[in-house]
Amino acid sequence: MVTKAASSWLLPEGRVAVMGILNVTPDSFSDGGLFVDPRKASQHAFDLIAAGADIIDVGGESTRPGASPVTRDEECARVLPVITAIRERSEIPISVDTSDPVVMAEAVAAGADFINDVRALTRPGALAQAAALGVPVCLMHSPAEPAIMQVRPRYADVVAEVRRFLSDRMAACLAAGIAQEKIVIDPGFGFGKTLVHNQALMRALPEFAALAPVLIGVSRKSMAGDLLGLAVGERLQTSIALALAGIRGGARVVRVHDVRETVAAVRTWEWIFEPKERVT
Ligand code: 9MG
């Protein structure tokens, strides 16, 4: 097994981390069913690494709008062989996309370095488990379970409500013993939000970046398609535009399907806007 040197891998100075998405699910909205076979999934991970990914996010539960829940055993059966296979051959930081405390523990034992929880550690036992595991966490905002989250989402003030939720979850993490530097936040684009809500959150991203390092997931989502009527497979350019808009707003990690194309755009952006960090 390869062990990964502890470093600033998650939030490198002067550089945005590109997180490659690996959905080991039969029903995710854009790549559902493509990587259910563990061999295909781990091959895809190595393709993402070759394309320049800084982190691989492995998930076994679809969180697309309307998705049904997955059992713990099924989630473990999907993600653990893939995490193990990646870690056997690579030091790449691995994130596990889960809300289940048992899956968190098993995934970290198999080699995961980071917990990405779309329920912000609100499931029973998740907060204590993440604290005990001692790995960094991403707290994402979602107002409801995936099955119903897109049924008429409503907010009086989406920015204030999402900011309050994330501040409260950060406070809960700190009280549970998770260090501030291990907390990343995410406004949860597309999770219980309309196009207008997503636009307001994108515009307000600097307010979130003032609270903690921000991760964003906009890749191929409806906010990258609805404006121009683009199908899921036609959203590459708009997804990259949104990722760069998020980086302009202070995002430090971008979660994407199209790693090679996003890396090219992000590194070019950094060449212009982060010149002090570059070696000439
Ligand atoms: C798992 N997953 C799907 N979309 C996501 C997003 O926008 N952010 C995070 N953190 N995870 C996501």
Side-chain angles (χ1 to χ4, degrees):
M1 168 181 302
V2 180
T3 44
K4 189 183 59 57
S7 67
S8 55
W9 54 268
L10 180 59
L11 302 165
E13 228 8 82
R15 195 167 167 278
V16 170
V18 175
M19 171 186 266
I21 299 172
L22 181 46
N23 286 321
V24 194
T25 55
D27 55 347
S28 288
F29 78 99
S30 114
D31 51 4
L34 290 180
F35 308 115
V36 180
D37 172 352
R39 273 166 313 174
K40 280 193 186 152
S42 30
Q43 184 50 53
H44 187 56
F46 295 116
D47 292 345
L48 296 175
I49 295 168
D54 297 295
I55 308 169
I56 304 293
D57 189 40
V58 182
E61 178 197 11
S62 169
T63 49
R64 71 173 164 76
S68 353
V70 63
T71 65
R72 171 179 289 165
D73 286 350
E74 182 59 31
E75 208 183 332
C76 281
R78 290 178 185 174
V79 299
L80 297 181
V82 179
I83 293 171
T84 304
I86 301 171
R87 185 51 75 238
E88 273 170 1
R89 284 175 48 198
S90 170
E91 293 186 29
I92 186 101
I94 302 171
S95 140
V96 61
D97 153 23
T98 188
S99 301
D100 185 294
V102 173
V103 179
M104 289 173 192
E106 301 272 329
V108 170
D113 307 280
F114 180 50
I115 294 168
N116 173 27
D117 186 359
V118 299
R119 297 178 182 82
L121 304 177
T122 55
R123 282 237 175 116
L127 187 57
Q129 182 70 278
L133 292 168
V135 296
V137 295
C138 176
L139 308 170
M140 197 201 79
H141 173 269
S142 179
E145 282 298 304
I148 55 158
M149 67 188 180
Q150 286 307 111
V151 182
R152 285 191 301 284
R154 275 167 200 245
Y155 302 85
D157 179 339
V158 66
V159 172
E161 287 170 46
V162 173
R163 200 179 46 214
R164 166 61 58 88
F165 171 86
L166 292 174
S167 301
D168 289 350
R169 295 312 299 157
M170 283 174 63
C173 283
L174 295 173
I178 299 176
Q180 173 82 51
E181 59 271 19
K182 290 192 172 156
I183 301 173
V184 172
I185 57 171
D186 182 339
F189 290 107
F191 282 78
K193 282 129 194 147
T194 64
L195 196 56
V196 171
H197 295 143
N198 289 321
Q199 182 192 42
L201 289 167
M202 186 60 90
R203 288 178 175 168
L205 218 51
E207 291 182 40
F208 293 92
L211 297 176
V214 169
L215 182 157
I216 57 164
V218 289
S219 179
R220 301 185 189 170
K221 288 189 178 170
S222 60
M223 70 186 286
D226 286 358
L227 194 61
L228 301 174
L230 303 173
V232 171
E234 301 171 332
R235 298 177 183 171
L236 172 62
Q237 294 87 346
T238 47
S239 297
I240 291 175
L242 289 170
L244 294 180
I247 292 168
R248 176 173 180 257
R252 305 275 304 274
V253 186
V254 290
R255 181 180 182 275
V256 304
H257 298 88
D258 301 292
V259 167
R260 186 176 302 284
E261 296 82 353
T262 309
V263 165
V266 169
R267 300 296 167 238
T268 306
W269 171 278
E270 289 166 342
W271 178 62
I272 300 296
F273 293 110
E274 297 286 347
K276 57 188 178 305
E277 302 301 332
R278 295 192 67 86
V279 179
T280 50

